[in-house]
Amino acid sequence: MGAEKAMLKKVLHRTALGAERLLDRLQPRRNHGSGTLVIDPYIGYATPEHLILRGRVLAGARSKAAVSGQSVLRNFMQMTSLFLTDEVAGVTVSHGGTTAITDEEGYFQLPLPAGRAPGWHEIEVSVADGGTPAACPVFVPRPDARFMVISDIDDTVLHTSAYSLLRNLWTTFSGNALTRRIYPDSAALLQRLSEQGRNPVYYVSSSPWNMHAFLAQVFNQAELLRGPMFLRDLGLSETQFISAGHGSHKGQSIGILLKAHPELTAILIGDTGQEDASVYCAAVRRHPGRIAAVLIRISEDGLSTNDERGLAELKDTGVMVFAGSSFQSAILKMEREVF
């Protein structure tokens, strides 16, 4: 099974490289100095010292908004275009007198001084050399927050079938932002845990940054609670398909958020499709006293041996644990033990 999965990933890698080369021939990459640079803004977050604005500089955008009833082929072309970006390295972005330079994949983080009021802010970031400025959203938590919520996305709040590579790919590329399905129980759980915005909610996922705008649109349409996302770099090259492992990415992101909110404990939400129990158990051990509870959705394919082991080890830590096929019971558990 592992060999088949590795072979499938190799085929997908070669297919993606071929598609990128074909698209480049049909639509040549723009001159980076021609004034067509644009910012793909990501939701920023706050630390005690800074507001962290985030985004990526691209040489134009290829994707278009989905319309109701469009074909599977049209969906596939639009979703594929999200991954065939022309990122721009070494470009200066700025707000006021603060500047940052994009890395080799076009990403930037622009730290501004803290001090803005709690809530949502739209801060304009400019691109040097005639690029198009963009409003970068950033979220500042309330000072009376009791805890923070860190949730996975795929098969935790968004139906993806990430536990099966083939199903995951079909779900991702055959649909669009209008057809993707949010789990109602997850939406209700996040709303309850947020306490009407008192407690900040963050999303940590192995989905690539290329999906940020798409996921934001899906969340908005479903009226899912908005929050900063911590996604993963997609390393499409001759030798690499996706960078950073699932567990290491989530673990690092959880560490960043715990450091950003040293006064808050965290409630972690995930699923068994990508063995989140083991990932979260490792986080509990790395950050003693900082994880208040772990809530795990058991995915459609049930519990594997690794899932059972991960849940058992998680319960042995003494942290409050819920595991079930729906979060409806988790809401009741939170009502009794947290609120």
Side-chain angles (χ1 to χ4, degrees), residues 249-299:
H249 163 70
K250 282 191 174 180
Q252 290 167 7
S253 299
I254 291 168
I256 289 171
L257 287 168
L258 290 174
K259 185 177 180 180
H261 302 294
E263 76 287 2
L264 298 180
T265 57
I267 295 177
L268 307 181
I269 306 176
D271 66 276
T272 58
Q274 294 180 304
E275 300 183 3
D276 284 340
S278 295
V279 175
Y280 291 167
C281 183
V284 171
R285 290 170 173 165
R286 281 196 307 273
H287 307 284
R290 297 298 309 279
I291 308 301
V294 177
L295 312 179
I296 298 291
R297 179 193 296 282
I298 298 176
S299 58

Side-chain angles (χ1 to χ4, degrees), residues 40-287:
D40 183 17
Y42 305 147
I43 300 174
Y45 64 101
T47 73
E49 298 81 20
H50 296 101
L51 301 184
I52 309 297
L53 306 187
R54 304 182 295 172
R56 195 179 194 187
V57 176
L58 307 172
R62 286 173 174 162
S63 63
K64 295 182 180 179
V67 296
S68 180
Q70 68 184 35
S71 67
V72 171
L73 178 59
R74 180 68 174 169
N75 291 340
F76 177 81
M77 295 300 292
Q78 284 188 345
M79 292 303 298
T80 301
S81 71
L82 296 178
F83 295 87
L84 303 180
T85 53
D86 187 6
E87 60 276 356
V88 187
V91 172
T92 300
V93 297
S94 64
H95 173 80
T98 305
T99 64
I101 298 176
T102 59
D103 67 13
E104 64 275 8
E105 293 292 333
Y107 298 107
F108 70 85
Q109 292 197 41
L110 187 64
L112 301 182
R116 302 212 178 203
W120 288 93
H121 302 271
E122 298 281 337
I123 300 176
E124 185 173 283
V125 175
S126 299
V127 191
D129 303 323
T132 304
C136 290
V138 61
F139 175 70
V140 180
R142 286 168 45 173
D144 63 341
R146 297 200 297 142
F147 53 81
M148 62 177 158
V149 180
I150 303 176
S151 176
D152 177 50
I153 295 177
D154 294 328
D155 291 321
T156 299
V157 299
L158 177 66
H159 185 268
T160 307
S161 300
Y163 54 85
S164 167
L165 182 58
L166 287 176
R167 289 184 184 180
N168 186 7
L169 290 169
W170 173 257
T171 301
T172 299
F173 287 96
S174 67
N176 59 55
L178 303 177
T179 64
R180 298 299 295 272
R181 179 164 62 90
I182 295 291
Y183 288 107
D185 58 316
S186 295
L189 174 64
L190 292 173
Q191 285 288 354
R192 184 64 186 97
L193 291 176
S194 76
E195 293 187 286
Q196 297 183 330
R198 178 181 183 178
N199 305 312
V201 174
Y202 300 94
Y203 297 95
V204 173
S205 171
S206 293
S207 293
W209 282 110
N210 306 63
M211 298 282 286
H212 186 278
F214 174 85
L215 290 171
Q217 183 181 355
V218 173
F219 284 14
N220 182 59
Q221 289 173 172
E223 298 183 345
L224 186 70
L225 205 64
R226 188 185 186 198
M229 300 181 196
F230 288 73
L231 306 182
R232 190 161 55 148
D233 179 27
L234 180 70
L236 183 60
S237 68
E238 292 292 337
T239 59
Q240 186 180 35
F241 191 33
I242 299 177
S243 66
H246 166 79
S248 61
H249 163 70
K250 282 191 174 180
Q252 290 167 7
S253 299
I254 291 168
I256 289 171
L257 287 168
L258 290 174
K259 185 177 180 180
H261 302 294
E263 76 287 2
L264 298 180
T265 57
I267 295 177
L268 307 181
I269 306 176
D271 66 276
T272 58
Q274 294 180 304
E275 300 183 3
D276 284 340
S278 295
V279 175
Y280 291 167
C281 183
V284 171
R285 290 170 173 165
R286 281 196 307 273
H287 307 284

